[in-house]
Amino acid sequence: DAGVIQSPRHEVTEMGQEVTLRCKPISGHDYLFWYRQTMMRGLELLIYFNNNVPIDDSGMPEDRFSAKMPNASFSTLKIQPSEPRDSAVYFCASSRQTYEQYFGPGTRLTVT
Amino acid sequence: QKEVEQDPGPLSVPEGAIVSLNCTYSNSAFQYFMWYRQYSRKGPELLMYTYSSGNKEDGRFTAQVDKSSKYISLFIRDSQPSDSATYLCAMSRGSNYQLIWGAGTKLIIKP
């Protein structure tokens, strides 16, 4: 299997622009997680899905963030409008059980 | 106070030394205990997991869980420069619950 695929790998955008991050989980994995990682705050869970249904979105910082999983092989995380404080590495992970998560390579987002 | 506490380091040791990495936690409901390794500019990868208490060994790595003390450890024997990475502990209440993460400890193995 190719592992978890994320795109783009790097994104540089200006404040106020819309940003869409994409994730393809490993086939057969029922769980999908979106994380954000910064030096200051470490790894933070934003939202996770089970069988395409959002289970817990309490980590989503504010209404500017939204996530969707229209089918078992694709998910998006959208930020609109983006702000400089959103600059971070965003990881997508998938798993069969929640404890054995497989992470993608991450998207490094810079908002200027 | 955070549910999971982990010293961010860095921890610097000479090659060949035994490394001990630790986390403490406050929630007695945790049942699964994981160690993830993250190399620079990569995503975390699962190194080992333990269910409930006890020890688990995998090559040079040993994971220990002491539920009475709410303390988990990861030991690395014969440490190598390639072990230099950030090690994150994570815990959950069950196989269908989200993980609660430690801050990660940056480990540096000096040749």
Coordinates of all heavy atoms in Angstrom, one line a residue, chain A residues 9-10 31 33 35 37 42-43 45 48 56 58 91 96-106 108, chain B residues 2 32 34 36 38 40-46 49 86 88 92 94-99 101-103:
Chain A
R9 N 2.2 19.2 -0.4 CA 3.2 19.0 0.7 C 3.6 20.4 1.3 O 3.9 20.4 2.5 CB 4.4 18.3 0.1 CG 4.2 16.9 -0.4 CD 3.9 16.0 0.8 NE 4.9 16.0 1.8 CZ 6.0 15.3 1.8 NH1 6.3 14.5 0.7 NH2 6.9 15.5 2.7
H10 N 3.6 21.4 0.5 CA 3.9 22.7 1.0 C 2.9 23.7 0.4 O 2.5 23.6 -0.7 CB 5.3 23.2 0.5 CG 6.4 22.3 1.0 ND1 7.0 22.4 2.2 CD2 7.0 21.2 0.4 CE1 7.9 21.5 2.4 NE2 7.9 20.7 1.3
Y31 N -10.9 4.8 10.4 CA -10.7 6.0 11.1 C -9.8 7.0 10.3 O -8.8 6.5 9.7 CB -10.0 5.8 12.4 CG -10.9 5.2 13.5 CD1 -10.9 3.8 13.6 CD2 -11.8 6.0 14.3 CE1 -11.8 3.2 14.6 CE2 -12.6 5.4 15.2 CZ -12.6 4.0 15.4 OH -13.4 3.4 16.3
F33 N -7.9 10.9 10.8 CA -7.6 12.0 11.8 C -6.9 13.1 11.1 O -6.1 12.9 10.2 CB -6.7 11.5 12.9 CG -7.2 10.2 13.6 CD1 -6.9 9.0 13.1 CD2 -7.8 10.3 14.8 CE1 -7.4 7.8 13.7 CE2 -8.3 9.2 15.5 CZ -8.0 7.9 14.9
Y35 N -4.6 16.4 12.2 CA -3.8 17.0 13.3 C -3.1 18.2 12.8 O -2.8 18.4 11.6 CB -2.7 16.0 13.8 CG -3.1 14.8 14.5 CD1 -3.4 13.6 13.9 CD2 -3.3 14.8 15.9 CE1 -3.8 12.4 14.6 CE2 -3.7 13.7 16.6 CZ -3.9 12.5 16.0 OH -4.3 11.4 16.7
Q37 N 0.5 20.5 14.0 CA 1.7 20.4 14.8 C 2.4 21.7 14.7 O 2.8 22.2 13.6 CB 2.6 19.2 14.5 CG 3.7 19.0 15.4 CD 4.5 17.8 15.1 OE1 4.8 17.5 14.0 NE2 4.9 17.0 16.2
G42 N 2.7 21.6 20.1 CA 2.9 20.2 19.8 C 1.8 19.7 18.8 O 1.4 20.4 18.0
L43 N 1.5 18.4 19.0 CA 0.5 17.7 18.1 C -0.9 17.9 18.7 O -1.2 17.4 19.8 CB 0.9 16.3 18.0 CG 0.3 15.4 16.9 CD1 0.7 16.0 15.5 CD2 0.7 14.0 17.1
L45 N -5.0 17.3 18.0 CA -6.1 16.7 17.2 C -7.1 17.7 16.8 O -7.7 18.4 17.7 CB -6.7 15.5 18.0 CG -7.9 14.8 17.3 CD1 -7.4 14.1 16.0 CD2 -8.6 13.9 18.2
Y48 N -11.7 14.0 14.0 CA -11.5 12.6 13.5 C -12.9 12.0 13.0 O -14.0 12.4 13.5 CB -10.8 11.7 14.4 CG -11.5 11.1 15.6 CD1 -12.0 9.8 15.5 CD2 -11.6 11.8 16.8 CE1 -12.6 9.3 16.6 CE2 -12.2 11.3 17.9 CZ -12.7 10.0 17.8 OH -13.3 9.4 18.9
D56 N -15.6 13.6 16.5 CA -15.2 14.7 17.5 C -14.5 15.8 16.8 O -13.4 15.6 16.2 CB -14.3 14.1 18.6 CG -14.0 15.0 19.7 OD1 -14.3 16.2 19.6 OD2 -13.5 14.6 20.7
S58 N -14.1 18.8 18.4 CA -13.9 19.8 19.4 C -12.5 20.5 19.4 O -12.3 21.5 19.9 CB -14.0 19.2 20.8 OG -13.1 18.1 21.0
F91 N -1.1 17.2 9.6 CA -1.0 15.8 9.3 C -2.4 15.2 9.2 O -3.3 15.5 10.0 CB -0.2 15.1 10.5 CG 1.2 15.4 10.5 CD1 1.8 16.2 11.5 CD2 2.1 14.8 9.5 CE1 3.1 16.5 11.5 CE2 3.5 15.1 9.6 CZ 4.0 15.9 10.6
R96 N -7.2 1.4 11.6 CA -8.3 0.4 11.8 C -8.8 0.6 13.2 O -10.0 0.5 13.5 CB -7.8 -1.0 11.6 CG -7.6 -1.3 10.1 CD -7.6 -2.8 9.9 NE -7.6 -3.2 8.4 CZ -6.5 -3.3 7.7 NH1 -5.3 -3.2 8.3 NH2 -6.6 -3.6 6.4
Q97 N -7.9 0.6 14.2 CA -8.2 1.0 15.6 C -7.5 2.3 15.9 O -6.5 2.6 15.3 CB -7.7 -0.1 16.6 CG -8.4 -1.5 16.4 CD -7.6 -2.3 15.4 OE1 -6.4 -2.1 15.2 NE2 -8.3 -3.3 14.9
T98 N -8.0 3.0 16.8 CA -7.5 4.4 17.0 C -6.1 4.4 17.5 O -5.3 5.4 17.3 CB -8.4 5.2 18.0 OG1 -8.4 4.5 19.2 CG2 -9.8 5.4 17.5
Y99 N -5.6 3.3 18.1 CA -4.2 3.4 18.7 C -3.1 3.2 17.7 O -2.0 3.6 18.0 CB -4.1 2.4 19.9 CG -4.4 1.0 19.5 CD1 -3.4 0.1 19.0 CD2 -5.6 0.4 19.7 CE1 -3.6 -1.2 18.7 CE2 -5.9 -0.9 19.4 CZ -4.9 -1.7 18.9 OH -5.1 -3.0 18.6
E100 N -3.4 2.6 16.6 CA -2.4 2.3 15.6 C -2.5 3.1 14.4 O -3.0 2.7 13.3 CB -2.4 0.8 15.2 CG -1.2 0.3 14.5 CD -1.2 -1.2 14.2 OE1 -2.1 -1.9 14.7 OE2 -0.2 -1.7 13.6
Q101 N -2.2 4.4 14.5 CA -2.4 5.4 13.5 C -1.2 5.4 12.5 O 0.0 5.4 13.0 CB -2.7 6.7 14.1 CG -3.9 6.7 14.9 CD -4.3 8.1 15.5 OE1 -3.7 9.1 15.0 NE2 -5.1 8.1 16.5
Y102 N -1.5 5.6 11.3 CA -0.5 5.7 10.2 C -0.6 7.2 9.7 O -1.7 7.6 9.2 CB -0.7 4.7 9.1 CG -0.4 3.3 9.5 CD1 -1.4 2.6 10.2 CD2 0.8 2.7 9.2 CE1 -1.2 1.3 10.6 CE2 1.0 1.4 9.6 CZ 0.0 0.7 10.3 OH 0.3 -0.6 10.7
F103 N 0.5 7.9 9.8 CA 0.5 9.3 9.5 C 1.0 9.5 8.0 O 1.9 8.8 7.5 CB 1.4 10.1 10.4 CG 0.8 10.4 11.7 CD1 0.7 9.3 12.7 CD2 0.4 11.6 12.1 CE1 0.1 9.6 13.9 CE2 -0.2 11.9 13.3 CZ -0.3 10.9 14.2
G104 N 0.4 10.5 7.4 CA 0.9 11.0 6.1 C 2.2 11.8 6.3 O 2.6 12.1 7.5
P105 N 2.8 12.3 5.2 CA 4.0 13.1 5.3 C 3.7 14.6 5.8 O 4.7 15.3 6.1 CB 4.5 13.1 3.9 CG 3.3 12.9 3.0 CD 2.4 12.1 3.8
G106 N 2.5 15.0 5.8 CA 2.2 16.3 6.3 C 2.1 17.4 5.2 O 2.7 17.2 4.2
R108 N 3.0 21.4 5.0 CA 3.6 22.5 5.7 C 2.9 23.8 5.2 O 3.1 24.2 4.0 CB 5.1 22.6 5.5 CG 5.8 23.6 6.3 CD 7.3 23.4 6.2 NE 7.7 22.1 6.8 CZ 8.0 21.9 8.1 NH1 8.0 22.9 8.9 NH2 8.4 20.7 8.5
Chain B
K2 N -1.9 19.0 32.3 CA -2.2 18.2 31.1 C -2.5 16.8 31.6 O -2.0 16.3 32.6 CB -1.1 18.3 30.2 CG -0.8 19.6 29.5 CD 0.3 19.5 28.6 CE 0.6 20.9 27.9 NZ 1.7 20.8 27.0
Y32 N -4.6 1.8 26.6 CA -3.7 1.6 25.6 C -2.6 2.7 25.7 O -2.9 3.9 25.9 CB -4.3 1.7 24.2 CG -5.2 0.5 23.8 CD1 -6.5 0.5 24.2 CD2 -4.7 -0.5 23.1 CE1 -7.3 -0.6 23.9 CE2 -5.4 -1.6 22.8 CZ -6.8 -1.6 23.2 OH -7.5 -2.7 22.8
M34 N 1.0 4.0 23.9 CA 1.8 3.9 22.6 C 3.0 4.8 22.7 O 3.1 5.8 23.4 CB 0.9 4.5 21.5 CG -0.2 3.5 21.0 SD -1.5 3.1 22.1 CE -2.3 4.7 22.3
Y36 N 5.3 6.7 19.8 CA 5.5 7.0 18.4 C 6.9 7.7 18.2 O 7.3 8.4 19.1 CB 4.5 8.0 17.9 CG 3.1 7.3 17.5 CD1 2.3 6.9 18.5 CD2 2.7 7.1 16.2 CE1 1.0 6.3 18.2 CE2 1.5 6.5 15.9 CZ 0.7 6.1 16.9 OH -0.5 5.6 16.6
Q38 N 9.2 10.2 15.7 CA 9.0 11.2 14.6 C 10.4 11.8 14.2 O 11.0 12.4 15.0 CB 8.1 12.4 15.0 CG 7.8 13.3 13.9 CD 6.8 14.4 14.3 OE1 6.6 14.7 15.4 NE2 6.2 15.0 13.3
S40 N 12.8 14.3 11.9 CA 12.6 15.6 11.5 C 11.9 15.7 10.1 O 12.3 15.0 9.2 CB 13.9 16.3 11.4 OG 13.8 17.7 11.0
R41 N 10.9 16.5 10.0 CA 10.1 16.8 8.8 C 9.4 15.5 8.3 O 9.2 15.4 7.1 CB 11.0 17.4 7.7 CG 11.6 18.8 8.1 CD 12.3 19.4 7.0 NE 12.6 20.8 7.4 CZ 11.8 21.9 7.0 NH1 10.8 21.7 6.3 NH2 12.1 23.1 7.4
K42 N 9.1 14.6 9.2 CA 8.3 13.5 8.8 C 7.1 13.4 9.8 O 7.0 14.0 10.8 CB 9.1 12.2 9.0 CG 10.4 12.1 8.1 CD 10.1 11.9 6.7 CE 11.3 11.7 5.8 NZ 11.1 11.6 4.4
G43 N 6.1 12.5 9.4 CA 5.0 12.2 10.3 C 5.4 11.2 11.4 O 6.4 10.4 11.2
P44 N 4.7 11.2 12.5 CA 5.0 10.2 13.5 C 4.7 8.8 13.0 O 3.8 8.6 12.2 CB 4.0 10.6 14.6 CG 3.7 12.0 14.4 CD 3.7 12.2 12.9
E45 N 5.5 7.8 13.5 CA 5.2 6.4 13.2 C 5.2 5.6 14.5 O 5.9 5.9 15.4 CB 6.3 5.9 12.3 CG 7.7 6.0 12.8 CD 8.8 5.4 11.9 OE1 8.5 4.5 11.1 OE2 10.0 5.7 12.1
L46 N 4.2 4.7 14.5 CA 4.1 3.9 15.7 C 5.3 3.0 15.9 O 5.6 2.2 15.0 CB 2.8 3.0 15.6 CG 2.5 2.1 16.8 CD1 2.2 3.0 18.0 CD2 1.3 1.2 16.5
Y49 N 3.1 -0.5 21.1 CA 2.0 -0.2 21.9 C 1.8 -1.3 22.9 O 2.2 -2.5 22.7 CB 0.7 0.0 21.1 CG 0.0 -1.2 20.7 CD1 -0.9 -1.9 21.5 CD2 0.3 -1.8 19.4 CE1 -1.6 -3.0 21.0 CE2 -0.4 -2.9 19.0 CZ -1.3 -3.5 19.8 OH -1.9 -4.6 19.3
T86 N 12.3 12.6 17.7 CA 11.4 13.0 18.8 C 10.5 11.8 19.1 O 9.9 11.2 18.1 CB 10.6 14.2 18.4 OG1 11.4 15.3 18.2 CG2 9.6 14.5 19.5
L88 N 7.2 10.5 21.0 CA 5.9 10.9 21.6 C 5.2 9.8 22.2 O 5.1 8.7 21.6 CB 5.0 11.5 20.5 CG 5.5 12.8 19.7 CD1 5.9 12.4 18.3 CD2 4.4 13.8 19.6
S92 N -4.9 6.0 25.3 CA -6.3 6.1 25.0 C -7.1 5.2 26.0 O -6.5 4.3 26.6 CB -6.6 5.7 23.6 OG -6.5 4.4 23.4
G94 N -9.5 3.3 25.0 CA -9.9 2.1 24.4 C -9.6 2.1 22.9 O -9.0 3.1 22.4
S95 N -9.8 1.0 22.2 CA -9.4 0.9 20.8 C -10.2 1.9 19.9 O -9.9 2.0 18.7 CB -9.5 -0.5 20.3 OG -10.9 -1.0 20.4
N96 N -11.3 2.4 20.4 CA -12.1 3.3 19.6 C -12.1 4.8 20.1 O -13.0 5.6 19.7 CB -13.6 2.8 19.6 CG -13.7 1.5 18.9 OD1 -13.0 1.3 17.8 ND2 -14.4 0.6 19.4
Y97 N -11.2 5.0 21.0 CA -11.1 6.4 21.6 C -9.9 7.1 21.0 O -8.9 6.6 20.6 CB -10.9 6.3 23.1 CG -12.2 5.9 23.8 CD1 -12.5 4.6 23.9 CD2 -13.1 6.9 24.3 CE1 -13.7 4.2 24.6 CE2 -14.2 6.5 25.0 CZ -14.5 5.1 25.1 OH -15.7 4.7 25.8
Q98 N -10.0 8.5 20.9 CA -8.9 9.3 20.4 C -7.7 9.2 21.3 O -7.8 8.8 22.5 CB -9.4 10.7 20.3 CG -9.7 11.4 21.6 CD -10.0 12.8 21.5 OE1 -9.0 13.6 21.4 NE2 -11.2 13.2 21.4
L99 N -6.5 9.4 20.8 CA -5.3 9.4 21.5 C -5.1 10.7 22.2 O -5.4 11.8 21.7 CB -4.1 9.1 20.6 CG -4.2 7.8 19.8 CD1 -2.9 7.6 19.1 CD2 -4.6 6.6 20.7
W101 N -2.0 12.9 23.6 CA -0.5 12.9 23.2 C 0.3 13.6 24.3 O -0.2 14.6 24.8 CB -0.3 13.5 21.9 CG -0.9 12.8 20.8 CD1 -2.2 12.8 20.3 CD2 -0.3 11.9 19.9 NE1 -2.4 12.0 19.3 CE2 -1.2 11.4 19.0 CE3 1.0 11.4 19.8 CZ2 -0.9 10.5 18.0 CZ3 1.4 10.5 18.8 CH2 0.4 10.0 17.9
G102 N 1.5 13.1 24.5 CA 2.5 13.9 25.2 C 3.1 14.9 24.3 O 2.9 14.9 23.1
A103 N 4.0 15.8 24.8 CA 4.6 16.9 24.1 C 5.7 16.4 23.2 O 6.1 17.0 22.2 CB 5.1 17.9 25.0

